[in-house]
Each structure stands twice: as C-alpha cells, then as structure tokens.
Amino acid sequence: MRKLSMEELNRLSVPDFKNTQKFPLTLVLDNVRSLHNVGSAFRTADAFAIEKIWLCGITGRPPQREITKTALGSTESVAWEYAASTVEAIGQLRAAGYAIIAVEQTTGSQPLPSFRPEAGRGYALVLGNEVFGVDDEVLALCDAAVEIPQFGTKHSLNVSVAAGVVLWDFLTKINMRQPVNPVK
C-alpha cells in the first residue's frame, strides 16, 4: 500500500471545477467568528462540490490570511456570497426554493440519522456561531433543525467538523456520490 500521487488522484483544475455541476447544497455561516472555521468550511465545500457558501454577519470573508491558510486554495474554487445578516441570506435562498435546515440542538430538532432529504431538492444548511449557535431569529425562519448525535461530555462539535458530518450525511442519503463531469 502507498499513498496516491497528485496525478493519480485526478483532481479537477479550478476552472474545470467551477464549470462542474454542483450538489444542491449550500452552507450558511451565521456569525461564525473563527477565520479558521471559515477556511475549513471552504475546504469542505470544495471537497463535497457544493454550490455555495453564504458568509453572514460577522463571519470573515476572503482574502484573509487565517482563512486562506486553512482553505488551501478553495476560496478560489468555491462560490461564496456575503450578506450583512443571515435573515437576508435566508430570504434569498427561500425565494430560490431552498429548504432551510438549521444544524442545531433545539426542542424540535431531529437526529441527523433520521432526517431524509429529498433527492433533487436544494438545501441550505445553517451553521451558527461557535458560542451562541444559530441565532434565535434565524431558527424561527428554518424549515427544520437537525442535530448530530453525540455521546461524550461536550454538547457540540466544531463548526467545520459539523459541516463535514452533515454534508456527507446529506450526500450519502440522496445517493449522490459524484457530480456530473465538467462542462467543456
């Protein structure tokens, strides 16, 4: 056994990736304060070929050294948009037909394993601030909330870890393993 070389991994170039059909998933970062978490979200979004990241409120925006360091170039490949408030971003996403799903522990949240996304439907996954979670005003606008089952002493995961877990779960449930080949 040996590690695969970069050539063997057969990764797309940034221009080809930008022209590739993406999975109908969007991350919404609701006032995420850590620039490292933002960079990690970009890297995860690239890995799973999702449509876009919305950076809302105090969430940092590229180019910033801490984001760039963690993103490893994915700020160039992943589409992103800034909104002064998460409410504004959700309004635009809802108007475009997305289901808005909070990744948060709430009185009405359902365990991630039991949530069944519909194939072909667009989903916006809202991840909240590292200390305060998804804002209450934002939660009121969500169609549902999912929570990642946890079994230790802590009650939450790092924002970027949660993004990876939820994106992978959604992709496997809608049986989308690989986006369509790049448009030539």
Side-chain angles (χ1 to χ4, degrees):
M1 182 181 328
R2 66 176 175 74
K3 292 184 211 176
L4 294 174
S5 69
M6 292 305 282
E7 292 79 29
E8 290 171 310
L9 289 171
N10 198 28
R11 298 292 187 220
L12 296 172
S13 67
V14 170
D16 283 344
F17 180 82
K18 285 183 174 184
N19 290 321
T20 300
Q21 182 177 343
K22 307 298 186 289
F23 293 116
L25 296 167
T26 297
L27 287 180
V28 178
L29 302 185
D30 176 30
N31 292 299
V32 171
R33 64 188 171 121
S34 166
L35 298 178
H36 293 288
N37 278 336
V38 175
S40 291
F42 270 94
R43 195 163 163 192
T44 300
D46 177 279
F48 293 130
I50 71 166
E51 291 176 335
K52 182 186 259 187
I53 297 178
W54 280 85
L55 306 172
C56 304
I58 67 165
T59 305
R61 304 181 294 276
Q64 292 193 46
R65 184 180 179 286
E66 293 88 352
I67 294 172
T68 305
K69 179 180 177 181
T70 311
L72 293 178
S74 57
T75 56
E76 302 302 316
S77 58
V78 175
W80 64 274
E81 193 163 337
Y82 173 74
S85 77
T86 308
V87 170
E88 174 189 332
I90 287 176
Q92 290 187 43
L93 288 159
R94 185 171 308 290
Y98 286 80
I100 313 299
I101 310 297
V103 180
E104 185 63 87
Q105 299 162 341
T106 72
T107 55
S109 59
Q110 57 184 298
L112 184 58
S114 68
F115 186 81
R116 297 287 171 238
E118 297 173 36
R121 176 126 197 234
Y123 287 90
L125 306 172
V126 182
L127 295 137
N129 177 278
E130 294 88 343
V131 175
F132 304 110
V134 176
D135 186 86
D136 289 337
E137 182 181 16
V138 172
L139 274 177
L141 300 173
C142 293
D143 299 309
V146 296
E147 64 178 274
I148 301 166
Q150 297 168 55
F151 309 102
T153 61
K154 300 301 175 193
H155 63 83
S156 66
L157 293 169
N158 180 279
V159 171
S160 62
V161 171
V165 168
V166 174
L167 286 172
W168 177 250
D169 182 77
F170 269 61
L171 289 176
T172 58
K173 286 177 179 171
I174 57 179
N175 295 319
M176 297 178 104
R177 303 282 182 187
Q178 176 176 331
V180 175
N181 290 331
V183 176
K184 297 288 182 185

